[in-house]
Amino acid sequence: MSQKNQTPVTYFIIKGISEVPGLQVLIFFLVLLLYLITLSGNLTILLLVCLDKKLHNPMYFFLGNLSILDVFSLSITLHMILFTFISGDKRVSFLGCMAQMYIFSSLTSNELLMLTAMSYDRYVAICNPLHYHMVMNRRVCALLAIICWVLGFIEIIPHMWAISKFTCYKSNEINHYFCDILPIMKLSCSDTTILKLVIFIEGFFLLSFTPFLFTFISYIYIIATILQIKSNIGRRKAFYTCSSHLTVVLILYLSLVCQYLRPATTDTLDSNKVFSLFNTAAVPVLNPFIYSLKNKDVKLAFRRQLKSLRSLKFK
């Protein structure tokens, strides 16, 4: 590649979801609405988990952590669209871009690990219910959550180390709405072999396959246990306790597969933006609705807290 096409950059320009001028206002308000819905939904669940004593159990402890992850993940990605529309400045510093990429990737890794911890919780609850509270005590839950948070941020370091080896870029314009690994890799004119190797070995096996394998094994045991229950009501009740978690797992993994494991012939930056938008925005939006609409405990907790607020108001 000629030297004139190799550009050392100090900042990047984020093109956004669309460059059509007539769509900018519509995109802004849709993104703002999406962000507010996600923020209110996840914060509501987080507050209910903290305030309602009947939700002080392992399942909702992990759900609270998942809500925190969703809020931060959406904030770190969609804020650029809102900021760009208000300020008109599409620039982001090189260090700011690297920080956004690291935090978003770490939060995605954290979410996969947290869902794996939740699958273990569902496994113990259904397959070993008599010892559930002994096995999933507060110390174990706290330890699992800490491991998920710490490991999630450590696992992405090799990716960032490989990206730090890039010495030049074809352009400083990122055809995306935030700094993500794939657009940066396509933009680089440096050798990306190491990064591709890290993504395949560390990213695929540790970030994706291993959590999926543990989740898959947990649900094999869960389904086998449910099928052994003789009562239809018992089977439905057992399946109900893990249906919300299973729904979230399927949605997240399907979105990640569509985004990162599609055939090269269909892998374009524009299509990546569509799948990435679903992964970063739609999944956090859907999580609160899945856990609240399909969960009687959350709905009852919401009613209890509303009743408490009303009683305080009239005192």
Side-chain angles (χ1 to χ4, degrees), residues 32-48:
L32 181 61
L33 179 63
L34 202 64
Y35 181 68
L36 292 176
I37 292 173
T38 304
L39 194 65
S40 58
N42 282 286
L43 288 180
T44 298
I45 287 183
L46 187 58
L47 284 172
L48 288 175

Side-chain angles (χ1 to χ4, degrees), residues 55-63 121 132-133 136-137 141:
L55 297 184
H56 290 178
N57 59 54
M59 177 181 175
Y60 296 106
F61 169 75
F62 291 119
L63 179 57
D121 169 69
Y132 176 68
H133 293 290
M136 298 301 295
N137 55 56
C141 292

Side-chain angles (χ1 to χ4, degrees), residues 123 126-127 216-230 235 238-239 242:
Y123 160 77
I126 294 174
C127 300
F216 182 72
I217 292 173
S218 296
Y219 271 98
I220 288 177
Y221 282 101
I222 289 171
I223 293 171
T225 302
I226 291 175
L227 291 176
Q228 291 175 4
I229 299 174
K230 295 180 180 180
R235 282 199 297 269
F239 182 75
C242 60

Side-chain angles (χ1 to χ4, degrees), residues 2 4 43 52 55 64 71 77 80-81 91 113 115 133 139 204 225 248 252 261 265 271 275 277 281 284 302:
S2 60
K4 64 179 182 180
L43 288 180
D52 199 287
L55 297 184
V71 169
T77 54
M80 196 65 197
I81 299 174
R91 295 176 300 174
L113 292 170
L115 287 171
H133 293 290
R139 183 178 179 182
F204 177 73
T225 302
V248 172
L252 181 59
L261 299 180
T265 53
S271 62
F275 290 113
L277 187 63
F302 185 73

Side-chain angles (χ1 to χ4, degrees), residues 158-281:
H159 295 74
M160 302 309 299
W161 171 80
I163 292 173
S164 70
K165 298 298 180 181
F166 294 169
T167 56
C168 65
Y169 295 88
K170 302 169 189 174
S171 169
N172 68 339
E173 292 187 348
I174 300 177
N175 186 19
H176 209 42
Y177 60 92
F178 73 99
C179 294
D180 198 9
I181 290 177
L182 290 182
I184 292 293
M185 184 172 66
K186 291 179 181 293
L187 202 61
S188 175
C189 56
S190 301
D191 186 9
T192 60
T193 304
I194 295 177
L195 178 59
K196 289 177 180 177
L197 190 63
V198 169
I199 290 174
F200 178 75
I201 296 176
E202 204 268 347
F204 177 73
F205 286 103
L206 293 182
L207 297 186
S208 302
F209 182 73
T210 302
F212 174 78
L213 182 63
F214 278 110
T215 303
F216 182 72
I217 292 173
S218 296
Y219 271 98
I220 288 177
Y221 282 101
I222 289 171
I223 293 171
T225 302
I226 291 175
L227 291 176
Q228 291 175 4
I229 299 174
K230 295 180 180 180
S231 169
N232 289 332
I233 296 175
R235 282 199 297 269
R236 283 197 297 268
K237 185 178 180 181
F239 182 75
Y240 177 80
T241 61
C242 60
S243 59
S244 297
H245 173 259
L246 183 58
T247 303
V248 172
V249 167
L250 290 175
I251 291 174
L252 181 59
Y253 274 102
L254 284 174
S255 65
L256 289 174
V257 167
C258 290
Q259 184 178 353
Y260 294 106
L261 299 180
R262 288 176 296 122
T265 53
T266 62
D267 185 19
T268 64
L269 289 175
D270 288 331
S271 62
N272 272 334
K273 284 193 284 187
V274 174
F275 290 113
S276 181
L277 187 63
F278 183 83
N279 179 31
T280 59

